[in-house]
Amino acid sequence: MSDTNESDCIPGPLAHPPERLETLLHIEQVSKEFPMNDGSTFVALKDFTLEIQNIKDKPQIVSLLGPSGAGKTTALRILAGLDRPTSGCVFITNGDGQSLRPVRVGDVGVVFQRYPLFEDLNVLHNLIDPAVRSGMNKDQAKEKALRYLDEFGLVKQGLSWPLQLSGGQRQRVAILQQLMLDRHFIILDEPFSGLDPVNILNVIKLISRIANEHTLNTFLIITHDVTSALIISDHVYLLGRERDAKGEPIPGSRVMKTYDMIAEGLAYHPDIEDLPRFAEIRKEIRLVEFPKL
């Protein structure tokens, strides 16, 4: 009898074409406008549409990639239910494998760029207290928190204060906070920003390891780091604005291009950076696509 179950992920590249199951997240024609002091309107997003499906035997790791000013932060807040769109809607799975419902605050965890923690709580209680406030039994929360600290090399920091942590340690604690709440949807805001190449690789490994704990785990990475996005993602969505006949940007960002890294034969490959097609896509994004966004 097999020890695996439906939530287990299979490591490495897929040996067959991916089996796409139910829709987990659907963003339908979302637009967001902000009134300005001079009476004009700033259009941040326009007709922003995106869909994430459950991939059998794999987690979902997608990147929303774009330069500064492309509307990534606005998209993040709407996806997490923190802001309402001017029009359109974000739908999330109802958990029954069949139906969707509008996203609500709390459905999607967010790990913001500065990794905010409760500075008056030690690391252990940064994990326990939010889980208890969300309805988890205190003993269960403590047991789960201790297990996570052990699994992710933070046992020695359990009684430390957030100010005593390195940036990488804060990031791990912030991600574990979201996992404590049994959230399968987590947005990571610029997780590679300001890191050297070695630490970027460590973060990529960390995200992949956490995501692969359950096939329903769905990580949305908000980033401008082309290389990291291509390495870690199964799909990469370029967010930007169309241009008019004079080459001027038209207000309102949307998905301009999608890179299906599974179809490209790149996703899940341990030596992805060594593959010629990886270099081709990276060059295309940097030299052709990014300047147009």
Side-chain angles (χ1 to χ4, degrees), residues 159-213:
L159 298 180
S160 298
W161 302 102
L163 285 174
Q164 297 174 299
L165 302 178
S166 68
Q169 290 167 342
R170 286 184 70 99
Q171 184 182 52
R172 273 180 280 170
V173 175
I175 295 173
L176 293 180
Q177 269 188 342
Q178 304 303 322
L179 294 180
M180 285 289 296
L181 303 176
D182 289 327
R183 285 174 173 151
H184 287 303
F185 290 87
I186 297 179
I187 297 176
L188 300 173
D189 181 23
E190 297 285 1
F192 316 112
S193 180
L195 300 179
D196 59 60
V198 172
N199 280 315
I200 287 176
L201 183 60
N202 289 336
V203 171
I204 287 173
K205 291 178 179 178
L206 173 67
I207 294 171
S208 180
R209 178 182 172 186
I210 294 175
N212 275 276
E213 290 196 339

Side-chain angles (χ1 to χ4, degrees), residues 52 98 104-105 135 156:
I52 300 175
Q98 297 178 342
R104 298 191 290 255
V105 174
K156 292 182 179 180

Side-chain angles (χ1 to χ4, degrees), residues 91-125:
F91 297 96
I92 195 169
T93 178
N94 208 27
D96 58 7
Q98 297 178 342
S99 59
L100 300 173
R101 60 168 174 77
V103 70
R104 298 191 290 255
V105 174
D107 286 335
V108 179
V110 181
V111 179
F112 287 102
Q113 187 173 348
R114 299 183 183 276
Y115 319 127
L117 301 174
F118 298 106
E119 300 295 337
D120 58 337
L121 297 177
N122 63 29
V123 168
L124 181 60
H125 281 279

Side-chain angles (χ1 to χ4, degrees), residues 14-117:
L14 291 171
H16 49 75
E19 183 178 348
R20 303 179 192 273
L21 306 175
E22 75 276 14
T23 297
L24 299 176
L25 187 73
H26 182 72
I27 303 150
E28 179 66 34
Q29 296 288 308
V30 162
S31 296
K32 181 65 176 179
E33 300 176 357
F34 296 94
M36 306 299 287
N37 290 333
D38 61 2
S40 64
T41 298
F42 173 71
V43 182
L45 298 175
K46 184 178 182 181
D47 298 332
F48 172 42
T49 297
L50 185 154
E51 182 168 282
I52 300 175
Q53 291 179 299
N54 183 12
I55 302 170
K56 183 176 174 60
D57 298 328
K58 290 290 185 182
Q60 293 62 235
I61 305 179
V62 306
S63 288
L64 198 58
L65 179 64
S68 298
K72 299 190 299 295
T73 299
T74 301
L76 177 157
R77 295 188 60 83
I78 291 175
L79 292 176
L82 301 175
D83 285 342
R84 291 185 176 182
T86 305
S87 61
C89 193
V90 178
F91 297 96
I92 195 169
T93 178
N94 208 27
D96 58 7
Q98 297 178 342
S99 59
L100 300 173
R101 60 168 174 77
V103 70
R104 298 191 290 255
V105 174
D107 286 335
V108 179
V110 181
V111 179
F112 287 102
Q113 187 173 348
R114 299 183 183 276
Y115 319 127
L117 301 174

